[in-house]
Amino acid sequence: LVWISDQAFKPTAVSMKAQLEALGCQVKGYKTHKNAARALDKKRALVRTVVLVSGPEAAPFLAYIASRPELAATPVVVEASSRAVPIREGPTVQVTDSFESAATAVWKIANDPGFA
């Protein structure tokens, strides 16, 4: 699981990260979409990976994914808030309204028998 959120490294996020890890995910956190993109630039493909991105980082990260056709099939869950730019759902993009519903969406994706 790639987790992109300004909350990822705050002390208050320890329980959030633990909740994600309890889903059976190995969590790699990034504070911004730029940091995640820099790390992903080193990879040719993402195998069995889901991206959980917070609302403010979602639009630029989705633009980055669109610029990398080899990553286009990567499932992305957007934890949207009222202050974020509206994000349109698509075949690989789910938009949720809370961290809990985002975690549930990640779990459903990761446990789908077709998830590879």
Side-chain angles (χ1 to χ4, degrees):
L1 174 69
V2 174
W3 182 26
I4 306 167
S5 172
D6 62 348
Q7 299 294 310
F9 294 102
K10 292 188 177 178
T12 54
V14 171
S15 65
M16 296 164 83
K17 184 175 181 183
Q19 185 177 347
L20 295 172
E21 289 171 337
L23 300 174
C25 300
Q26 180 180 14
V27 179
K28 182 67 180 150
Y30 298 96
K31 188 172 181 177
T32 68
H33 72 278
K34 290 178 184 175
N35 294 352
R38 210 172 6 260
L40 295 175
D41 280 343
K42 300 172 188 170
K43 301 188 179 293
R44 293 191 183 276
L46 294 177
V47 180
R48 292 192 51 79
T49 300
V50 179
V51 177
L52 171 57
V53 59
S54 65
E57 298 292 322
F61 182 76
L62 290 170
Y64 168 77
I65 287 281
S67 75
R68 298 275 314 271
E70 68 277 18
L71 303 181
T74 304
V76 178
V77 176
V78 178
E79 179 195 347
S81 65
S82 57
R83 60 187 166 87
V85 174
I87 302 295
R88 224 185 257 160
E89 289 201 356
T92 59
V93 179
Q94 290 184 49
V95 179
T96 64
D97 61 358
S98 69
F99 179 80
E100 287 71 26
S101 58
T104 300
V106 167
W107 183 86
K108 285 179 181 175
I109 293 166
N111 286 285
D112 185 313
F115 182 58

